[in-house]
Amino acid sequence: MTSIIEIKDAMPAYAKDLKLNLSSMANNPGMTDQQVYGTALACAFASRNAKLIKAVAAEAKEKLSEEAIEAAKGAAAIMGMNNIYYRFVHLVSDAEYGSMPARLRMNIIGKPGIDKADFELFSIAVSAINGCGMCIDSHDKVLKGAGVKKETIQNAIRIASVIHAVAVVIDAEDALAE
């Protein structure tokens, strides 16, 4: 099984900054382990790289409850659906789509099995990876309404950016090695 340490060690010279950022990812003042590792796990799932998913999941298992692990995976899953739908609604020029019912089940958002603000943090990070501005705005408002500091939200987005960039490098290097 691949570990985070092995992932860091495998980063090529051109990705030295990613290696350093990955090393400091767990150091996010003001964030709990659940917020850091749950965000990282949700983002690994959203970034779709098997090696990175396995490495982050192994590390997250040491820091998270089963409920938090399931919530992180659930955030990646539901945002995988919502980010596509709401990005379409946001980008299409016909405003009538915005007034039509989505008719998509999203029960996990209301009952994530963990602190709702933490689930929203996982969701905004995945939404950043998936590029849904409408979802990012919505999660940002919910998080701020729950009293989550901007620095915590920024930290979650920083985790998302590092995890996603590392997944891109792994995929590219694996493609070149074939």
Side-chain angles (χ1 to χ4, degrees):
M1 179 181 296
T2 303
S3 70
I4 293 289
I5 292 170
E6 290 169 320
I7 297 276
K8 285 188 281 192
D9 290 345
M11 285 289 104
Y14 69 82
K16 181 180 179 184
D17 291 324
L18 300 181
K19 179 179 182 175
L20 296 171
N21 288 327
L22 192 58
S23 294
S24 64
M25 190 178 65
N27 183 19
N28 283 295
M31 290 183 82
T32 65
D33 278 352
Q34 179 165 292
Q35 291 169 337
V36 171
Y37 290 94
T39 298
L41 184 58
C43 291
F45 268 74
S47 295
R48 303 180 190 146
N49 178 277
K51 290 179 186 175
L52 189 58
I53 291 168
K54 289 175 185 176
V56 173
E59 194 156 322
K61 191 174 183 180
E62 301 295 320
K63 303 284 186 177
L64 298 176
S65 67
E66 282 301 317
E67 293 82 7
I69 289 170
E70 288 300 304
K73 294 188 311 188
I78 199 71
M79 290 306 112
M81 176 183 74
N82 283 2
N83 294 158
I84 297 298
Y85 181 82
Y86 287 107
R87 186 171 59 224
F88 166 79
V89 169
H90 177 73
L91 294 175
V92 71
S93 59
D94 187 341
E96 188 176 343
Y97 288 107
S99 64
M100 296 169 73
R103 295 197 338 247
L104 296 170
R105 297 200 49 154
M106 306 174 217
N107 293 331
I108 193 168
I109 295 171
K111 294 182 181 180
I114 61 166
D115 180 75
K116 181 131 170 55
D118 288 356
F119 186 82
E120 288 288 332
L121 207 57
F122 306 166
S123 297
I124 196 171
V126 172
S127 295
I129 289 171
N130 292 337
C132 181
M134 190 176 193
C135 295
I136 291 168
D137 281 344
S138 176
H139 295 297
D140 184 59
K141 287 176 186 160
V142 171
L143 286 162
K144 288 175 183 169
V148 177
K149 294 179 180 178
K150 285 183 180 183
E151 292 79 9
T152 301
I153 297 167
Q154 180 193 32
N155 285 340
I157 303 307
R158 187 171 28 251
I159 291 168
S161 68
V162 171
I163 292 291
H164 184 69
V166 168
V168 167
V169 170
I170 295 168
D171 285 342
E173 290 298 319
D174 286 352
L176 290 174
E178 291 178 356

